[in-house]
Amino acid sequence: MSKKNKGAVFFRAFLRAVIVIVMMIAVGFASYHAVFWYCKQSYAKANGKTEQDKNSVVYTAVMFDDTMSSGMEGIMVRAFHPKTKNTDFIMVPSNTEIPASSDIYGVLKEKSEVLPEPMTIGAISSYVSSETERYELTTQALEEILGIKEIPYYEAYNQKVLVSIVNLLEPQIMEIPMTITTKDTSGLELTMEQGAQSLDGEKVCALLSFKGYPDGNIDQTKMMAQFFSRYYKVATTRSEDEKKKFYQQYYQLVTCNEPETMLKQYESSFLKATEKQFYFTLVPGNYNGTSYQLITDQVQTLINQIETKEGSYDSEQDLTEFYVPPVSSSKDLVTKIYNGTRVEGLATEWVQKLRADGYNIIGAANDNSGEKQNAVIYVKTEGTGLDLKAYFPGAEFIIDPTLDGIDIKVVLGLDQAHS
């Protein structure tokens, strides 16, 4: 073989060797980074976050747990978007129906043989004694009825904690649609007059527990949205140091299951967020006078809009949809009380009670149409007597133009015997 051919063979062999070595280095480099990425993902997942979902919406169930009545008074689903820093609140009325065909209904059926139909999400607490289990089951119910794949976290607070949370900031001014008389956390009577009111923690607790609005739980949920919209607006306009202190105090008060890594991420975003980035929506549904029935396709549209929102909210939210119209007083109208139970003296007791509060009650009588469980209120003119819901939250209203000599007829039920 000539020297020239030997040189060509050597060159080709050398070139192949170099290519093989380069490929081995490339494969080793890629393998190293693949293993590093996998380990990083595994560690992040163990701590509640992955690279894949770090820009996805993170859901948290937020619950106002009324431990005095063993029920959920207020429920929100917070949807936080790490990428845009938007925080959406989906407002869910506590009387939202849970279908009897749902998995969560089956779980509750194992705890109690007698469950109401329809079952409502706020009533779950009535069948579960464990605080943690109450929150977990309510969160699972929210996943089912809203069609959300996973709501991994929850935050909850009772009346006393709510009072403390509200008092972290200065009192907020809100329009109260009707005179509200209820009890504060110490059991003392608390009254808020209709109109603009400065609300401290005790008053907010009363406002969000009250079910005597014209549309009951629906209006209660709207008042909750109004308040927290103002609350976060004030919180986000404070200095960074004040916001950090507020954030830390808030999470010292609430009961939650968020890991420390998630709380740090929330804090980082909260310190940079503006008041425009908090948005409230009433979950789509229909109120049938007793319970709230979700409109499934509209709920899914809402969830998709939240999850696919790309830019940050850049304008302040119009809260018109949460407006609760003022309720006219019926104290000047002629009202008569009827006893729809076998409880002796019940009508007379309510006559005295309503007269003491300024109502024009002309007398009491017995109703012979059959024993009632809750009050039935007959009104001569539509839209009147709605302020009586403050006394009879679950009452059925019936318009009866044939009422003779009176404007309102209140037929009491067994529920009023325990009021």
Side-chain angles (χ1 to χ4, degrees):
M1 182 181 293
S2 66
K3 289 183 178 180
K4 185 176 181 180
N5 288 339
K6 286 182 179 179
V9 170
F10 174 80
F11 178 78
R12 285 195 295 270
F14 176 78
L15 184 62
R16 283 197 294 269
V18 169
I19 291 173
V20 170
I21 291 170
V22 170
M23 289 179 65
M24 289 177 66
I25 292 172
V27 170
F29 184 81
S31 299
Y32 167 80
H33 279 277
V35 171
F36 180 82
W37 179 86
Y38 176 79
C39 293
K40 184 179 179 182
Q41 288 290 294
S42 299
Y43 176 82
K45 187 174 183 180
N47 287 275
K49 186 176 74 172
T50 66
E51 286 294 310
Q52 183 178 1
D53 69 8
K54 71 178 181 181
N55 288 329
S56 302
V57 171
V58 180
Y59 290 103
T60 302
V62 183
M63 296 165 276
F64 171 27
D65 188 12
D66 185 357
T67 51
M68 289 182 181
S69 64
S70 300
M72 291 292 178
E73 295 290 3
I75 301 172
M76 306 183 286
V77 176
R78 187 177 67 211
F80 167 66
H81 203 305
K83 183 177 180 180
T84 64
K85 305 298 185 291
N86 290 333
T87 300
D88 284 90
F89 288 90
I90 304 169
M91 310 302 296
V92 182
S94 58
N95 64 339
T96 297
E97 286 188 15
I98 299 175
S101 59
S102 67
D103 291 341
I104 204 71
Y105 190 91
V107 172
L108 294 170
K109 194 75 174 175
E110 294 177 2
K111 297 180 178 297
S112 174
E113 294 183 359
V114 182
L115 285 181
E117 285 192 38
M119 176 73 182
T120 62
I121 191 167
I124 289 176
S125 297
S126 304
Y127 300 91
V128 184
S129 57
S130 165
E131 183 181 85
T132 301
E133 190 177 9
R134 274 205 311 268
Y135 302 152
E136 290 176 346
L137 288 178
T138 303
T139 301
Q140 290 173 30
L142 288 167
E143 290 177 345
E144 276 199 84
I145 63 177
L146 299 179
I148 295 174
K149 185 177 181 180
E150 182 184 21
I151 303 177
Y153 309 124
Y154 65 76
E155 294 176 8
Y157 40 82
N158 59 25
Q159 298 95 325
K160 290 185 177 180
V161 172
L162 175 61
V163 171
S164 298
I165 287 174
V166 172
N167 288 338
L168 292 177
L169 301 175
E170 60 268 26
Q172 308 301 305
I173 305 295
M174 276 184 61
E175 287 289 330
I176 309 302
M178 60 193 294
T179 300
I180 294 174
T181 299
T182 183
K183 292 181 179 180
D184 64 16
T185 53
S186 63
L188 298 176
E189 188 172 279
L190 186 153
T191 299
M192 287 181 283
E193 297 295 332
Q194 184 182 60
Q197 294 285 335
S198 176
L199 305 179
D200 61 8
E202 286 287 2
K203 289 183 178 180
V204 169
C205 188
L207 189 75
L208 302 189
S209 302
F210 184 66
K211 289 186 172 65
Y213 301 105
D215 278 338
N217 295 78
I218 312 305
D219 286 343
Q220 176 195 23
T221 303
K222 291 179 178 180
M223 297 301 290
M224 190 172 186
Q226 284 188 52
F227 170 73
F228 277 106
S229 175
R230 288 168 170 79
Y231 183 78
Y232 282 109
K233 182 176 181 179
V234 171
T236 53
T237 53
R238 291 190 156 193
S239 69
E240 184 171 330
D241 287 343
E242 289 175 326
K243 287 168 75 171
K244 184 175 290 189
K245 182 180 178 182
F246 164 81
Y247 181 89
Q248 293 170 349
Q249 289 176 325
Y250 176 89
Y251 279 103
Q252 287 172 357
L253 290 166
V254 300
T255 299
C256 68
N257 69 340
E258 288 117 327
E260 188 65 28
T261 50
M262 202 68 236
L263 294 179
K264 289 292 185 184
Q265 187 176 4
Y266 285 160
E267 181 180 23
S268 176
S269 296
F270 176 70
L271 294 178
K272 299 173 184 176
T274 71
E275 68 270 23
K276 296 174 183 177
Q277 290 179 276
F278 293 86
Y279 202 91
F280 294 76
T281 307
L282 178 65
V283 66
N286 293 315
Y287 180 48
N288 62 14
T290 304
S291 60
Y292 193 68
Q293 301 169 330
L294 298 188
I295 305 173
T296 306
D297 57 341
Q298 292 185 23
V299 172
Q300 285 308 300
T301 298
L302 170 62
I303 300 299
N304 289 337
Q305 288 174 344
I306 290 172
E307 293 184 348
T308 58
K309 173 72 176 174
E310 293 186 355
S312 298
Y313 292 124
D314 55 7
S315 59
E316 192 170 338
Q317 182 182 5
D318 179 3
L319 294 171
T320 303
E321 68 170 306
F322 296 111
Y323 177 67
V324 179
V327 177
S328 300
S329 173
S330 59
K331 290 183 177 181
D332 293 333
L333 300 180
V334 179
T335 302
K336 190 170 183 177
I337 310 297
Y338 289 77
N339 190 350
T341 75
R342 297 187 182 89
V343 179
E344 189 175 345
L346 184 61
T348 300
E349 178 186 329
W350 275 93
V351 166
Q352 294 171 350
K353 185 173 185 176
L354 290 172
R355 277 179 177 168
D357 287 346
Y359 285 87
N360 181 18
I361 312 296
I362 64 168
N366 289 321
D367 177 81
N368 299 316
S369 61
E371 193 167 44
K372 306 288 188 295
Q373 181 61 44
N374 204 342
V376 180
I377 300 177
Y378 298 84
V379 295
K380 201 167 190 176
T381 307
E382 184 176 3
T384 59
L386 293 175
D387 55 326
L388 289 171
K389 280 203 170 185
Y391 300 91
F392 314 109
E396 178 186 3
F397 269 69
I398 298 175
I399 300 169
D400 184 1
T402 67
L403 289 177
D404 186 19
I406 58 175
D407 301 297
I408 301 173
K409 172 183 175 181
V410 178
V411 181
L412 303 171
L414 290 171
D415 287 354
Q416 283 67 59
H418 308 294
S419 299

